[in-house]
Amino acid sequence: IRDLSPFTRLASLSLDGNRIERLGPGLKCLRLLKRLSLQGNVLVSLRGLEPLASLRELYVGHNKLHSLA
């Protein structure tokens, strides 16, 4: 995921079924994000979610995650 800086006020984001392989730095600007759904992609890692301190709901079913670390 690349640059989402025009959307800094988002509270909820659904990126289900987009064949996303990695999160990258694009989410770091979404400091107000409370709900994120990434179901049905091909993620193997959740690296990149660390800056999302307001995140309360995370949906990652149907990916290729090896661990939640």
Side-chain angles (χ1 to χ4, degrees), residues 13-60:
L13 178 62
S14 176
L15 295 170
D16 298 344
N18 282 291
R19 298 181 184 250
I20 297 170
E21 296 177 10
R22 63 182 168 273
L23 298 175
L27 295 173
K28 70 181 176 185
C29 63
L30 302 179
R31 304 238 187 258
L32 302 177
L33 195 66
K34 294 181 191 291
R35 180 189 177 278
L36 177 60
S37 184
L38 295 162
Q39 298 188 97
N41 286 291
V42 289
L43 292 169
V44 296
S45 168
L46 295 178
R47 185 171 291 142
L49 294 180
E50 299 84 1
L52 303 181
S54 296
L55 194 63
R56 298 293 176 256
E57 297 177 41
L58 176 64
Y59 302 94
V60 292

